[in-house]
Amino acid sequence: MTTSGRKPDEGERYKAILETAARLICERGYEGTSMQEIAAACRMTKAGLYHHIQNKEQLLFAIMNYGMDLFEEQVLSHVQDIADPVDRLRACMRHNILLVTRGWSKEVIIILHEHATLTGEARAFIDNRKKRYVDFLEEAFSQAAQQGRIRPVDPTIGAFSFLGMVLWVYKWFKPDGRLSDEQIADGMVDLLFPPIVAAAVDGQPGVSSLRVVPRAASGSGSGTEEP
Amino acid sequence: MTTSGRKPDEGERYKAILETAARLICERGYEGTSMQEIAAACRMTKAGLYHHIQNKEQLLFAIMNYGMDLFEEQVLSHVQDIADPVDRLRACMRHNILLVTRGWSKEVIIILHEHATLTGEARAFIDNRKKRYVDFLEEAFSQAAQQGRIRPVDPTIGAFSFLGMVLWVYKWFKPDGRLSDEQIADGMVDLLFPPIVAAAVDGQPGVSSLRVVPRAASGSGSGTEEP
DNA sequence: TCCACGACCTACCGACCGGTAGGTAGCACG
DNA sequence: CGTGCTACCTACCGGTCGGTAGGTCGTGGA
């Protein structure tokens, strides 16, 4: 099984189909989008579309793999070599939030929303690609906790808390809301990975932590939408 | 518009239909579930089902309102009168996580997953009920920050971080995983609302905070699934 | 000049979709 | 006994679903 399930490098046209289909599926959902509509949006007939793809499920699979490629290129590749685990997590959170908020790559949103739509091998393949990200986060949390850079936390709980904060954003973020995506990224990074000012509480340095508290932030009122 | 959009108190049968439909829609998605299937699961014909409901969309609307009722009864009502804002948030997080992990009330999961399926008035009505929860959380974060019980944080960012951590759980939690729902709840509460040990850093008491760091936790390996 | 091939098309398939018209069996009430 | 009502039923509607058979047409290489 290759990355896309179809022979790679068929050209720009194929990619354009994936992007067009992703736009529609992102808006209306997988089951709610007909092949007719996708074909029309590609300025083709349905039979013409089927010349390029095998069936609807394989199309979704290809879209998701494309989305994972984009994620790895725009998030993982920029942060995986950062030596400090906390800085690595901070940068990763920031990149990931911006990936979700900036509307390029509806494919990523589809991965998030249609988490249970695929079945069988295709489902397992995508789940496996996702799992590599979870492992990456768990490893970083584990290192950070071991070095006393963050509060001790089960790495799995840390990873999924991270992911929840970051990925839930797709459900409520509105580009014209009160908070910009930059503000959200900064705020969440500061909330989960606050700067540390001093260490050592009971003579065992590097494990306990006093966190700096800048005199700022607060405020009230929402500005954005539903949970 | 009443809570359900249908005349209230039609009896147990209606509730049973909502619960059965919710089970199917939760498994297969709203668009992926046919009225035929729902009717069959209720041991009825499709026409028989339509004797009780107006149409498919109104059925979803009723399910979501039922889910919001359950949420308010099982979460909000237990925590809204807790005086201390941080304790209120802690208890709320705990109750909400357990609401998601224990499989009673698929209706709640549907509210989470089908966040963009309804349109028009029904959508606005549900969004408004959700917003009341966001407001509740923002208020608590605002109070907690003002009292110096947590790091200063924009209340909206706090609320949606809370919600992301808690609600994302429905996408990955498996009852037979390494972590129990109790452990997840405890871990997330401790991560976002750590106990405070001392205050005062620069002579301005009640704003800064030193967090206690128990010598425990950590560990590695995942045990659960995809992000 | 010929022809193989990719990129589409028209026309169609059977299944199923959400929804309804109209009938009926059972029960409560007078 | 008759009437009215609820709770279903059978049978059907027009439309759309995912998918395909088979044809057309432009293009590039021999």
Side-chain angles (χ1 to χ4, degrees):
Chain A
M1 195 185 266
T2 69
T3 291
S4 69
R6 196 163 203 283
K7 72 171 184 286
D9 252 81
E10 204 201 310
E12 286 304 307
R13 193 70 216 267
Y14 186 63
K15 218 165 81 174
I17 289 173
L18 293 189
E19 281 163 10
T20 303
R23 214 193 62 233
L24 288 188
I25 292 175
C26 186
E27 283 167 14
R28 315 195 224 275
Y30 173 74
E31 305 275 7
T33 310
S34 72
M35 296 304 279
Q36 191 76 257
E37 291 171 319
I38 293 172
C42 295
R43 272 177 283 198
M44 269 193 240
T45 60
K46 201 170 34 157
L49 172 61
Y50 270 96
H51 176 72
H52 297 275
I53 65 166
Q54 293 162 27
N55 53 51
K56 197 184 183 185
E57 191 172 350
Q58 187 274 337
L59 172 63
L60 178 60
F61 179 57
I63 288 172
M64 286 189 173
N65 269 303
Y66 186 31
M68 289 303 296
D69 292 344
L70 287 170
F71 160 75
E72 285 172 7
E73 174 198 317
Q74 292 182 25
V75 179
L76 265 194
S77 73
H78 288 92
V79 305
Q80 63 190 353
D81 293 328
I82 298 174
D84 182 84
V86 179
D87 284 344
R88 187 158 71 240
L89 287 167
R90 286 197 188 103
C92 188
M93 177 171 264
R94 193 178 173 75
H95 276 86
N96 203 344
I97 287 174
L98 297 183
L99 175 69
V100 171
T101 57
R102 323 219 146 151
W104 334 315
S105 72
K106 306 296 189 187
E107 297 82 4
V108 172
I109 309 299
I110 292 173
I111 294 174
L112 302 182
H113 192 72
E114 307 286 350
H115 74 282
T117 306
L118 285 180
T119 57
E121 279 184 49
R123 163 79 172 271
F125 189 85
I126 296 291
D127 281 357
N128 195 41
R129 292 194 72 174
K130 292 179 180 176
K131 188 171 186 319
R132 295 213 290 270
Y133 186 31
V134 177
D135 290 345
F136 167 81
L137 292 175
E138 285 179 340
E139 172 67 17
F141 269 97
S142 193
Q143 286 178 18
Q146 208 159 14
Q147 296 174 19
R149 304 287 313 283
I150 58 171
R151 274 178 67 76
V153 62
D154 180 283
T156 302
I157 290 179
F160 282 111
S161 296
F162 177 111
L163 288 170
M165 287 171 63
V166 164
L167 302 180
W168 195 254
V169 168
Y170 93 86
K171 291 208 179 245
W172 57 272
F173 178 71
K174 296 277 142 49
D176 52 351
R178 179 175 65 86
L179 295 165
S180 73
D181 50 6
E182 297 275 356
Q183 287 174 300
I184 292 168
D186 290 343
M188 287 192 175
V189 166
D190 187 74
L191 183 61
L192 201 58
F193 308 109
I196 290 178
V197 127
V201 152
D202 58 352
Q204 185 68 266
V207 177
S208 307
S209 63
L210 171 60
R211 288 155 178 207
V212 98
V213 180
R215 204 149 331 274
S218 194
S220 193
S222 62
T224 23
E225 219 187 322
E226 44 135 358
Chain B
M1 195 187 266
T2 70
T3 291
S4 71
R6 196 162 203 284
K7 73 170 183 285
D9 251 82
E10 203 200 311
E12 286 305 307
R13 193 70 215 267
Y14 186 63
K15 219 165 81 174
I17 288 173
L18 292 189
E19 281 163 10
T20 303
R23 214 192 62 235
L24 288 188
I25 291 175
C26 186
E27 284 168 14
R28 314 193 225 276
Y30 172 74
E31 305 274 7
T33 310
S34 73
M35 297 304 279
Q36 190 77 257
E37 290 171 320
I38 294 172
C42 295
R43 272 177 282 200
M44 269 192 240
T45 61
K46 201 171 32 157
L49 173 61
Y50 270 96
H51 176 71
H52 296 275
I53 65 165
Q54 293 164 26
N55 53 49
K56 196 184 182 185
E57 191 172 351
Q58 187 274 339
L59 172 62
L60 178 60
F61 180 58
I63 288 172
M64 287 188 173
N65 269 304
Y66 185 31
M68 290 301 298
D69 292 344
L70 287 170
F71 160 75
E72 286 172 7
E73 174 197 318
Q74 293 183 24
V75 180
L76 265 195
S77 74
H78 288 91
V79 304
Q80 63 190 352
D81 292 328
I82 297 175
D84 181 84
V86 179
D87 284 344
R88 187 157 72 239
L89 287 166
R90 286 197 188 104
C92 188
M93 176 171 264
R94 192 177 173 76
H95 276 86
N96 203 343
I97 288 175
L98 297 184
L99 176 68
V100 171
T101 56
R102 321 217 147 152
W104 333 315
S105 72
K106 306 297 188 186
E107 297 82 4
V108 172
I109 308 299
I110 292 173
I111 294 174
L112 302 182
H113 191 72
E114 307 285 351
H115 74 282
T117 305
L118 285 180
T119 58
E121 279 183 49
R123 163 80 173 271
F125 189 85
I126 296 291
D127 282 357
N128 195 41
R129 292 194 72 174
K130 291 179 181 177
K131 188 170 184 321
R132 294 213 291 270
Y133 186 30
V134 177
D135 290 346
F136 167 80
L137 291 175
E138 285 179 342
E139 172 68 16
F141 268 98
S142 193
Q143 287 178 19
Q146 207 159 14
Q147 297 174 19
R149 304 287 313 283
I150 57 171
R151 276 178 65 75
V153 62
D154 181 283
T156 302
I157 291 179
F160 282 112
S161 296
F162 177 111
L163 288 170
M165 287 170 63
V166 165
L167 303 180
W168 194 254
V169 169
Y170 93 86
K171 291 206 179 248
W172 57 272
F173 178 71
K174 296 277 143 48
D176 51 352
R178 179 175 65 84
L179 295 165
S180 72
D181 50 6
E182 297 275 355
Q183 287 174 300
I184 291 168
D186 290 343
M188 287 192 174
V189 166
D190 187 74
L191 183 61
L192 200 59
F193 307 109
I196 291 178
V197 128
V201 152
D202 57 351
Q204 185 68 266
V207 178
S208 308
S209 64
L210 170 61
R211 288 153 177 209
V212 97
V213 179
R215 203 149 330 274
S218 194
S220 191
S222 63
T224 24
E225 216 189 324
E226 47 136 354

